[in-house]
Amino acid sequence: EVQLVESGGGLVQAGGSLRLSCATSGFTFDDRAIGWFRQAPGKEREGVSCINSGFNEGDGRTYYADSVKGRFTISRDNAKNTVYLQMNSLNPEDTGVYTCAAGGYSCGANFDSWGQGTQVTVSS
């Protein structure tokens, strides 16, 4: 069974930091791109960041939404089947439910496996 489990969310003041984790199981982690998405109340889900696999069409490359560039860092630990999202300099606009998803080799492929999400709330 494919599983993605997010953790690390919480309440933080503006300017603070959080590190989200996406622990996965049930599939070959090394050859799947993993993305982070977020959905704020009343808004559509948006892509935040993504990291390619290191195999075949993937090259380990990372991608970020313009709104988080320079503040968020995505990384993967293939030994632990886990992807991390380090979030620094958080602001209230970063508030939302953060969900990780697994796709194909690269971030351009469709994401077909999703976690349940973790809430991030940034107070002003």
Side-chain angles (χ1 to χ4, degrees), residues 5-107:
V5 180
E6 303 90 342
S7 62
L11 174 64
V12 64
Q13 288 188 331
S17 299
L18 285 173
R19 188 177 82 153
L20 305 184
S21 298
C22 174
T24 75
S25 61
F27 61 92
T28 305
F29 177 80
D30 297 7
D31 60 7
R32 301 286 292 273
I34 304 293
W36 281 100
F37 300 80
R38 69 185 179 189
Q39 187 166 20
K43 295 186 178 180
E44 293 187 356
R45 184 174 62 197
E46 63 174 344
V48 175
S49 183
C50 185
I51 185 166
N52 282 350
S53 74
F55 294 87
N56 293 315
E57 297 173 19
D59 53 9
R61 191 170 297 182
T62 58
Y63 301 88
Y64 299 93
D66 288 342
S67 60
V68 306
K69 281 181 181 177
R71 299 189 297 122
F72 290 13
T73 303
I74 190 170
S75 62
R76 65 190 297 154
D77 185 337
N78 288 346
K80 296 183 178 180
N81 293 349
T82 299
V83 168
Y84 303 98
L85 185 68
Q86 178 67 43
M87 307 188 296
N88 299 328
S89 302
L90 286 162
N91 58 61
E93 289 70 39
D94 295 316
T95 294
V97 176
Y98 284 68
T99 306
C100 62
Y105 289 121
S106 68
C107 293

